Amino acid sequence: MGRTPEGAAGCASYADRFDVFLVFFGMVFAPAAHAAEAQKPLPLKSGVEFASADVRKLQGDDFANPGMLWVVRGEKLWSEPAGTRGQTCTACHGDAPKSMKGVAARYPRVDAGAARLVNLGDRINLCRERNQQAEALRRESDELLALTAYVAHQSRGVPVAVTLDPQNRRDFERGRDQYQKRIGHMNLACTHCHDRNWGQKLAAETISQGHGNAYPAYRLEWQSVGSLQRRIRACYFGVRAEIPDYGAQELLELELYLAWRGNGLPVETPGVRR
Amino acid sequence: MTLARVQLPASAKRGEVIEVRIAIQHPMETGFRFDISGRAIPKNVINQLVCRYNGVEVFRAEMGSGIAANPYLQFYAVAEASGEMAFEWIDDSGNRGTERAAISVIE
């Protein structure tokens, strides 16, 4: 006996509705469940693995890599006197390749003196103010990016290794929550792209896992080197959310969470990204 | 502050073809962009770059607004005598830059 077309359609629609209900149930309640435990993408893949062959080649060639222009500039600044005392970075830290190796892999971290979370660029500025009695360099200025890129470059190949401790625990938790919070007109959280859909296409782009191990990086879209905060701000723009200012606590906390999430990935500074 | 990097082999055999590379930090402003208050940003690109090998011009590039920021150029030259490669360039705002690199030619 054959079923009537109406009956078949009716059965299917009940089944569909149940599926839809399950998916809806998952979407509404899953984020709440995820918020409790922070998850890392597995296997960890640096952003360069999602880049096209030409971008990978550009990053791999230390001469053609335009980010190296900033690194070379940073090297010059490292031994240039600054501030009222006319002191150089070399005076205290000596040769950066020795003294700065592995340093960038441990940032952002809580600075004991300032008693707040700082990233590598902030730390360089604190050093200028405290020890060189020099003015802090403007965020995203070529000078600060050059020094940050130079210092971070010394850690190239060193695995990112931020540690969680009682000092940065609150920052970490807020960063993790921010990462999972839906924001903007698009109503998306970081996790929706970079945990659930990495490797998939977003228009012509391949969605990366959203790691910061290549920053400061040369982004072809910017035609310049930029900080991780600039990149995160671009994501805020992408989901049409209100963009926090440079140096905002929210961005620092996200940086910390991202670093923890990418623990183990080698530092690539200066990376090249599209 | 103009910053450039030049790369060529430190030494080469006479008659050997060598690869010469130069990267210059420059915004290469196209003239098609506007600043935050809507004013046009004037075009400012490196319009001419010359390389002289012991005083003899071996390479010249004339660039326009189609060249990306921080231009990177690569060309080949024949190593003839020890000496230096001297680069000189000028942009639309009249800023000149120079950079040089030495090469020693072995028989």
Side-chain angles (χ1 to χ4, degrees):
Chain A
M1 195 186 97
R3 279 188 287 177
T4 62
E6 291 78 12
C11 284
S13 79
Y14 271 117
D16 282 352
R17 266 184 229 153
F18 187 64
D19 285 353
V20 166
F21 174 71
L22 280 183
V23 169
F24 179 71
F25 186 83
M27 280 175 80
V28 170
F29 294 99
H34 284 153
E37 28 107 29
Q39 45 172 346
K40 293 185 185 185
L42 280 174
L44 280 184
K45 279 174 183 275
S46 166
V48 76
E49 295 191 45
F50 300 97
S52 56
D54 51 343
V55 171
R56 278 203 299 273
K57 197 174 153 202
L58 199 57
Q59 175 171 317
D61 181 338
D62 270 353
F63 190 84
N65 181 341
M68 287 303 287
L69 286 165
W70 274 257
V71 171
V72 169
R73 187 164 178 184
E75 187 180 1
K76 286 183 180 157
L77 291 171
W78 184 261
S79 51
E80 253 176 38
T84 50
R85 293 169 61 192
Q87 203 166 18
T88 62
C89 303
T90 322
C92 291
H93 299 287
D95 270 355
K98 271 190 204 157
S99 62
M100 290 295 126
K101 189 177 167 67
V103 170
R106 299 193 290 270
Y107 276 82
R109 60 190 291 145
V110 173
D111 181 78
R116 62 180 168 86
L117 191 66
V118 295
N119 61 19
L120 189 59
D122 294 343
R123 181 65 186 80
I124 289 170
N125 267 338
L126 283 175
C127 207
R128 284 176 64 86
E129 287 174 335
R130 280 181 202 150
N131 305 320
Q132 293 182 303
Q133 263 128 55
E135 268 181 33
L137 296 167
R138 194 175 51 80
R139 285 198 173 89
E140 296 303 302
S141 62
D142 272 345
E143 288 80 10
L144 184 58
L145 287 170
L147 269 173
T148 314
Y150 177 61
V151 171
H153 181 64
Q154 310 310 324
S155 304
R156 191 157 71 164
V158 176
V160 174
V162 294
T163 46
L164 299 184
D165 49 43
Q167 279 95 47
N168 67 12
R169 175 60 72 173
R170 286 282 303 280
D171 297 316
F172 172 80
E173 285 169 357
R174 279 196 293 258
R176 179 198 63 199
D177 294 347
Q178 183 61 29
Y179 187 87
Q180 285 157 346
K181 193 173 91 184
R182 289 179 184 269
I183 53 169
H185 286 173
M186 307 288 267
N187 201 26
L188 287 169
C190 312
T191 186
H192 293 126
C193 283
H194 298 294
D195 284 330
R196 300 192 196 174
N197 286 305
W198 59 266
Q200 311 270 30
K201 291 286 182 185
L202 181 65
E205 297 282 353
T206 309
I207 301 173
S208 76
Q209 291 181 351
H211 297 297
N213 58 320
Y215 284 81
Y218 191 91
R219 216 171 154 222
L220 300 176
E221 184 188 319
W222 297 334
Q223 301 264 292
S224 162
V225 162
S227 68
L228 180 57
Q229 290 201 356
R230 184 169 177 191
R231 183 61 191 84
I232 298 174
R233 279 164 53 97
C235 265
Y236 272 78
F237 178 81
V239 297
R240 300 184 200 164
E242 195 179 326
I243 304 173
D245 283 337
Y246 284 110
Q249 184 66 15
E250 181 178 335
L251 289 177
L252 282 166
E253 288 159 0
L254 265 177
E255 275 190 84
L256 174 65
Y257 178 70
L258 289 185
W260 172 85
R261 189 171 161 275
N263 261 352
L265 284 173
V267 174
E268 287 171 16
T269 312
V272 178
R273 296 290 183 267
R274 235 189 77 170
Chain B
M1 177 177 150
T2 321
L3 191 126
R5 303 172 76 205
V6 173
Q7 190 185 58
L8 45 117
S11 68
K13 286 203 186 91
R14 187 182 300 277
E16 193 181 328
V17 175
I18 54 164
E19 187 185 75
V20 185
R21 308 163 99 190
I22 179 165
I24 307 169
Q25 194 174 32
H26 194 278
M28 296 296 275
E29 197 57 64
T30 59
F32 298 124
R33 299 201 307 160
F34 298 88
D35 67 10
I36 200 160
S37 45
R39 282 185 296 262
I41 304 173
K43 174 165 169 272
N44 183 23
V45 301
I46 295 173
N47 53 53
Q48 183 161 279
L49 177 139
V50 177
C51 172
R52 293 189 185 86
Y53 181 15
N54 287 340
V56 181
E57 186 177 310
V58 291
F59 179 81
R60 172 186 290 263
E62 283 166 8
M63 296 187 274
S65 55
I67 306 292
N70 310 304
Y72 160 78
L73 297 116
Q74 178 184 329
F75 61 93
Y76 296 88
V78 177
E80 283 185 335
S82 295
E84 65 170 16
M85 291 240 179
F87 291 84
E88 196 181 351
W89 60 92
I90 184 164
D91 69 12
D92 291 331
S93 66
N95 282 329
R96 283 172 187 277
T98 55
E99 187 66 52
R100 51 197 65 230
I103 181 166
S104 69
V105 170
I106 38 182
E107 293 303 321

